[in-house]
Each structure stands twice: as C-alpha cells, then as structure tokens.
Amino acid sequence: MIKYILITLAFGAFVFGTLEVDAAVMIRVRVHQSPSPVHIAGEGLKLTSGHPSDAHLLTLEPASKMDFRVTGQRWQVKVDGSPWTTVQAGRLTLLGTGSVRVGLRHLPARVDVVRTKRGVDLVANLPLESYLAGVLPAEMPTSWPIDALKAQAVAARSYALRLRQERRQRHFDVDASIIDQAYTFIPGHAHTSEGKRVLQALKDTKGEVLRDVQASQRIVKAYYSADCGCQSEDPKYVWGQSESMESVGDPTCRDRPTFLWTVNVRREDFKNMLLEVMGVPTATKLRTVHVASRTPSGRVHRVAISLRVDGAVQNKEISAQEFRRMLGFGRVRSTHFSIKWEGEKLHIAGQGRGHGVGLCQQGARSLSEQGMGYRDILKIFYPRATVKSA
C-alpha cells in the first residue's frame, strides 16, 4: 500500500510540477479497451490483487512484460514470457516504476486491469486536474490562444464531473477516446512549452465548472465540437435531451472560413454497409437515399433509405448520427450535409466537424484571438450556464 501511495503522489507531481492538485477529486479513466488477451510493457511492473489466494503475486520480481487473458471467470497472467498463471481476482492492479505501455501508447504508472464481457479494460484512477492535463492537448492545439484553452478546460472539467456523477455504478467514469473526450498521457509534457500553457490554463480555471442557472445549478454536461459550421446544435436532436444547451449562432463565421468536406460512396459499398449494420437480406436492392428531415439549425435529423427486398419496397429511416456511424465519423464529419446521387455514387457534401453541440472550438479560437476572455466565450456557447466553482 505504501508503494501505491508513493507512485500516485509521484505521478501527480510529475505531471503538474508546481500546479496544486486537489487529491480528493479523483476520476476513473478507461485508458484502453481490447479483446482478450492484452500485452503490456513497462519498467518495474508489479501486480497486486485483492484476493487472498493471490497474495503470492505481491512478491513477484519487477517485470518488463505482462500478458493478460480471460478464461471464463478467471484471469490468466504471463510474466516476462513465463507460463500462464491462473488468478482468481475480478480485477488486478498493475504498478510500474515508469510509464506503462500498450503498443506504442503510454499509460499512467498505475492502472487497474478489469475483466469485462468484451475482454479487458485498463482503468487509471487519476486526480481530476491530472486527467485534464492529458485532455487539453488531445482535444485542442496547445498553440491556440490561452483563453481558448481556458474555455476548453472549463468545458472538459464540467463534462468529466457530470459523467462521474452519472457512472457511479460502472467501473470507469470517462473513456479516454472520442467516445467521451480524448485523453493522452504524455510523459514529461509538463516540462515543455506546450505543457506549461496547458498547466497555466488549468491553474487559472482551477475548480471552475459550468452550472445550469435554470436547473438547480447542476453541473452541465458540457459537450463541445471541433467546428460547429456557423450554428451549434441543440443536443435534443443528437441525444434526445437538452442538457442545458441550445442552438446558438457562431459570431465568428463571417470572419473565418468554415471547414468543408465531401465523401463519395459507391452504391454497392453503401448496400454492403446496410447488410452489415442493419442486417438486411443479401438480395436487397438499394433504391434511393435522401435527407428525410432537418433540425432548426439546418443539420440533418433523419436519413431515409428505400430498399427493394424480394420484390417489395421497404422504407427505413435512421438518425443522422447512425448514418455517420455507419459510414464512419472520420468520413462524414458532421450532420450538416446534403446528399445526392451522381451516377452510381452517393455524393455527400458537408461543413463543420463533430456533432456541433456546445462549445465550438474554432469559434473559441477566433473569439480569443479577438481579445475575448474565456468566461465570455463560454457564455456565448452555453447561454443557460454560468461559470462557478465545483
């Protein structure tokens, strides 16, 4: 237990330098998920378990490689290429004297190894501000103006704390990918010029979150996107609930170019996606695809797909988010798009990046370049919220 405490404190100091950390606010970050088995490398790796029959694992010599696989309700662990050892515990804790690595990705020095229905999750229990120090450079270029970084810090802190409240019964609070918000552990980042800007943004906004002025001051689940394409989206059209946000115009669009994108999909490829995602019969013929409805912000709400199955016409509708997921979020960059057929290709043309809800990062950048402070930036994109201490 002493080693665990020392490693945790050392990690906090290593990431933050002189930044004061409130150790009472911790957040569980799912830093990696994969099917079984999973291979982990690092320096001075040691394994602990809360199960009495696994106490012998505490005496293992420090290792540089560990493999984990799930067999039924048990773990099997391989240390530095040794034979597989069966372990009883539901979860294990892995400690390293340096960073822990999965492939080329660096992870914090302490992670819980959790068995799930889908395989293995690695979960780091981090001080909130330490976690945010890995979110900011993953979600926004650190070279951007400091008030844009501060606005991002408040939004990311609010989002994380709200998820922490909602997911008490789960084994993690936030996922380290775009499923929630991106997080990257960068060893030594605090000592770089970019890292110092991140720490300054966190220090200047320490403890600040967005609270809903109309809903008993609850913390806002402060969604944000890369580029709202001139008009942010009301979250009820994306997730079915308002979440203290509404559609607002981005006042910077008249002064900056909007990100434009196009995608072309062959008819046969689109049909194959339908076969895989929607489970339609192999003999299905694709008739038409068109926008069925739009939201007040101009984004696509529903997409209509007409099929011919065994001679009969079947009409289906899917949400714009489902349409993006099917074709790939990296291709259909937002729900602000149009559809038309060009011969045997489905041509999709759009603007903006991301779901468009909440803070527009490009808008925040432009506003901060014009001299606006982060609190005023946040007020534009979250008009129903106010910045207060957590």
Side-chain angles (χ1 to χ4, degrees):
M1 183 61 70
I2 293 175
K3 286 185 178 180
Y4 161 70
I5 294 172
L6 288 175
I7 288 171
T8 302
L9 294 177
F11 171 63
F14 177 67
V15 172
F16 287 123
T18 59
L19 183 64
E20 183 181 345
V21 177
D22 183 358
V25 181
M26 304 292 290
I27 190 156
R28 301 167 301 163
V29 186
R30 184 169 68 179
V31 291
H32 181 78
Q33 59 173 326
S34 67
S36 172
V38 61
H39 175 75
I40 299 174
E43 295 79 42
L45 300 179
K46 298 199 78 171
L47 196 62
T48 66
S49 165
H51 198 283
S53 66
D54 297 322
H56 66 283
L57 291 172
L58 296 171
T59 63
L60 284 175
E61 291 297 318
S64 60
K65 294 184 295 183
M66 288 192 184
D67 295 89
F68 300 85
R69 70 183 183 189
V70 178
T71 56
Q73 297 299 311
R74 297 183 177 183
W75 286 108
Q76 285 195 319
V77 181
K78 181 189 291 187
V79 180
D80 280 338
S82 64
W84 289 100
T85 300
T86 300
V87 180
Q88 305 287 342
R91 73 171 60 194
L92 303 167
T93 298
L94 187 67
L95 305 174
T97 56
S99 67
V100 175
R101 298 184 301 279
V102 175
L104 298 177
R105 184 180 182 186
H106 288 265
L107 305 179
R110 176 190 182 275
V111 291
D112 290 334
V113 187
V114 184
R115 183 176 63 241
T116 71
K117 292 181 179 179
R118 295 185 176 183
V120 179
D121 281 359
L122 303 181
V123 179
N125 195 29
L126 303 175
L128 174 62
E129 300 301 303
S130 174
Y131 162 67
L132 293 173
V135 170
L136 262 65
E139 288 285 359
M140 178 177 282
T142 55
S143 60
W144 283 12
I146 191 66
D147 276 284
L149 289 172
K150 291 179 185 179
Q152 178 65 61
V154 175
R157 185 182 294 113
S158 304
Y159 184 81
L161 287 176
R162 178 64 180 276
L163 287 185
R164 182 172 177 262
Q165 292 174 353
E166 294 178 355
R167 294 177 176 171
R168 291 191 182 98
Q169 304 305 314
R170 300 183 67 174
H171 65 277
F172 68 95
D173 300 315
V174 291
D175 188 271
S177 74
I178 59 171
I179 292 174
D180 289 328
Q181 53 188 7
Y183 162 85
T184 303
F185 176 68
I186 309 173
H189 188 238
H191 305 296
T192 66
S193 58
E194 294 84 359
K196 290 176 181 178
R197 287 173 57 78
V198 168
L199 299 185
Q200 188 64 50
L202 291 173
K203 183 177 180 180
D204 291 350
T205 64
K206 187 174 186 299
E208 292 183 343
V209 295
L210 289 157
R211 290 188 179 274
D212 190 337
V213 296
Q214 300 177 7
S216 303
Q217 293 293 311
R218 72 174 180 178
I219 296 176
V220 174
K221 189 186 289 185
Y223 295 104
Y224 49 89
S225 68
D227 188 339
C228 65
C230 298
Q231 183 78 23
S232 73
E233 181 62 291
D234 188 324
K236 71 183 179 183
Y237 295 110
V238 182
W239 297 289
Q241 47 193 349
S242 65
E243 286 299 341
S244 312
M245 280 169 274
E246 58 194 52
S247 176
V248 299
D250 177 358
T252 71
C253 271
R254 62 181 178 270
D255 302 317
R256 66 176 177 86
T258 299
F259 178 72
L260 303 177
W261 51 267
T262 60
V263 177
N264 291 297
V265 185
R266 294 191 310 121
R267 182 183 293 269
E268 189 66 22
D269 292 339
F270 189 84
K271 192 189 86 167
N272 289 337
M273 292 175 190
L274 292 175
L275 295 177
E276 181 179 352
V277 175
M278 300 179 66
V280 298
T282 305
T284 296
K285 292 184 177 180
L286 176 62
R287 298 180 69 242
T288 63
V289 181
H290 66 271
V291 173
S293 60
R294 292 185 179 274
T295 71
S297 74
R299 285 177 172 77
V300 176
H301 185 216
R302 307 283 294 179
V303 175
I305 302 170
S306 181
L307 308 169
R308 186 176 295 278
V309 183
D310 295 329
V313 173
Q314 292 188 11
N315 297 315
K316 299 178 179 291
E317 279 193 11
I318 61 174
S319 71
Q321 285 295 99
E322 290 173 311
F323 183 79
R324 288 185 67 204
R325 184 179 297 109
M326 184 172 66
L327 272 73
F329 290 111
R331 300 177 72 195
V332 182
R333 306 299 292 272
S334 74
T335 57
H336 206 312
F337 60 82
S338 61
I339 299 175
K340 67 178 181 178
W341 285 101
E342 294 183 347
E344 287 299 299
K345 290 184 179 180
L346 186 66
H347 180 73
I348 308 165
Q351 64 185 61
R353 284 177 288 185
H355 48 64
V357 177
L359 178 74
C360 175
Q361 292 173 322
Q362 285 290 345
R365 177 189 186 182
S366 296
L367 290 169
S368 58
E369 288 174 342
Q370 296 168 17
M372 184 176 288
Y374 74 97
R375 287 172 176 262
D376 290 329
I377 293 172
L378 291 168
K379 193 62 181 176
I380 288 175
F381 293 103
Y382 305 99
R384 289 173 47 187
T386 185
V387 177
K388 289 192 174 183
S389 297

